[in-house]
Amino acid sequence: LYQAIWARLFGCRHIFFSWENITYENKFRGINLVIKKCILRLTIALSDGIICGNTEGERILRRYTHKAIEIIPMSGVDSDFFQPLPPRQEFQRHALAGKVVFTFAGAIGYRKGISYLLEAFTRVHQEMPDAFLIIAGSGEYENELQAAVKARGLSGNILIVPWLDREQLRLLLAESRIFLYPSIAYEGWEEQFGYSMAEALLMEVPVIATKTGSIEEVVIHGETGILVKPNDPLTLKDAMLQLGRDGMLRQRLGKAGRRSIVERFSYEVVAQKLYRFFHRVLSL
């Protein structure tokens, strides 16, 4: 709202971006809800257009306005940087050699469903001893996660590493066979996009994720990955075993995943969408 006011004072066009895919009514109550909706309505009134990061965001904002709205993520993904790479020797000398490597990269928080991931992997390892899990990231669940891994006797089968830079993440994805993203609804929040899933798919690594929030806009069930029920370690386990045991299926989903992300979310595609939308707003 502050930016919209200044844009009007200087005679500029104003467009705002929103990832929000949960209605205010489902997040706030009382005077807080009234204030939030008032700010939203004023911002819309002072703006010339809106960009939403997902389909649900567009549906929510359509309740308030008939102004120009476009569904475009804030940024595309780098399909030249994230592409399949040959295995690296330093990884092969590690415990990863000969393993089916499952990977998660992101915030190690309750909203990412890490506790369900740990429960599912415990069951997977009982049936698939060559399974190996790498969790990369940091967050409020770190200490509990470390303790839980130790208590389950899985320290030799789960590697937890801190945040990785782009190059390190690319190397990790090159060694991964399956990317896991068991996000859940948490305290008025649901997954709004999931760039790490898009990057994994660019590396031709199929994704197992939960059917929650806007994940379905990134991962296409049965085509680029598998979507399972959230908060359910048993269905997650079944999907992990299915992909872990079927190399041909992994390859098919991975290749389709790269094509899907390049066609919909690459830098070039997103830049063109933004360019066209800006010119559409300028012409109004």
Side-chain angles (χ1 to χ4, degrees):
L1 176 58
Y2 178 79
Q3 292 171 346
I5 291 171
W6 278 104
R8 286 302 182 192
L9 288 174
F10 281 95
C12 298
R13 297 297 183 96
H14 183 263
I15 296 171
F16 74 87
F17 179 89
S18 174
W19 281 115
E20 189 58 76
N21 57 358
I22 303 294
T23 63
Y24 280 174
E25 290 82 359
N26 288 334
K27 297 179 68 170
F28 306 109
R29 295 290 184 272
I31 189 63
N32 194 15
L33 173 61
V34 173
I35 292 172
K36 292 289 196 305
K37 292 180 73 171
C38 182
I39 291 172
L40 176 61
R41 290 181 183 277
L42 285 171
T43 303
I44 292 173
L46 293 172
S47 299
D48 298 284
I50 306 166
I51 298 174
C52 296
N54 49 61
T55 302
E56 185 61 19
E58 190 268 348
R59 189 190 68 81
I60 291 171
L61 289 176
R62 275 287 171 221
R63 297 162 49 191
Y64 297 92
T65 184
H66 293 291
K67 290 184 176 181
I69 302 180
E70 196 69 42
I71 303 169
I72 314 171
M74 176 62 78
S75 172
V77 287
D78 192 341
S79 56
D80 293 324
F81 183 81
F82 289 101
Q83 58 179 298
L85 298 174
R88 296 283 292 259
Q89 288 300 315
E90 57 264 38
F91 282 100
Q92 294 305 305
R93 289 192 296 268
H94 192 266
L96 303 190
K99 300 288 187 180
V100 177
V101 180
F102 296 87
T103 299
F104 167 86
I108 301 180
Y110 300 109
R111 70 184 189 277
K112 298 299 183 179
I114 303 298
S115 61
Y116 299 103
L117 171 56
L118 182 58
E119 175 64 28
F121 181 78
T122 301
R123 297 171 182 269
V124 167
H125 186 258
Q126 292 171 354
E127 299 186 38
M128 185 185 293
D130 60 345
F132 193 92
L133 173 63
I134 301 176
I135 299 175
S138 61
E140 76 272 14
Y141 189 63
E142 281 183 79
N143 293 335
E144 289 182 52
L145 176 62
Q146 295 277 5
V149 169
K150 185 176 181 180
R152 291 170 183 266
L154 292 171
S155 299
N157 302 95
I158 298 178
L159 176 65
I160 303 172
V161 297
W163 282 110
L164 303 176
D165 62 28
R166 291 177 79 239
E167 178 61 30
Q168 291 171 323
L169 177 60
R170 181 170 69 162
L171 294 176
L172 174 58
L173 291 173
E175 300 301 323
S176 304
R177 297 295 169 266
I178 299 153
F179 190 81
L180 305 172
Y181 209 82
S183 182
I184 62 173
Y186 185 74
E187 295 185 350
W189 175 92
E190 292 189 33
E191 197 67 50
Q192 297 166 336
F193 187 78
Y195 276 96
S196 59
M197 290 184 288
E199 291 163 350
L201 290 171
L202 284 176
M203 300 285 292
E204 296 187 1
V205 180
V207 175
I208 298 174
T210 44
K211 191 175 182 180
T212 183
S214 300
I215 287 178
E216 288 179 278
E217 297 183 37
V218 181
V219 181
I220 304 172
H221 179 65
E223 294 185 25
T224 67
I226 298 176
L227 296 177
V228 300
K229 293 188 297 183
N231 308 292
D232 189 343
L234 294 181
T235 56
L236 178 58
K237 180 263 295 184
D238 290 341
M240 291 169 68
L241 287 173
Q242 179 186 1
L243 269 189
R245 290 168 171 165
D246 194 336
M248 293 295 291
L249 179 59
R250 293 199 302 269
Q251 185 178 49
R252 177 173 66 80
L253 296 178
K255 289 186 178 299
R258 178 171 174 81
R259 288 194 301 271
S260 174
I261 299 301
V262 168
E263 292 170 359
R264 297 184 297 140
F265 301 122
S266 66
Y267 280 156
E268 294 81 4
V269 169
V270 171
Q272 284 298 316
K273 287 182 178 180
L274 290 170
Y275 181 85
R276 289 193 294 269
F277 184 68
F278 293 156
H279 278 267
R280 174 185 167 195
V281 170
L282 286 172
S283 67
L284 295 176

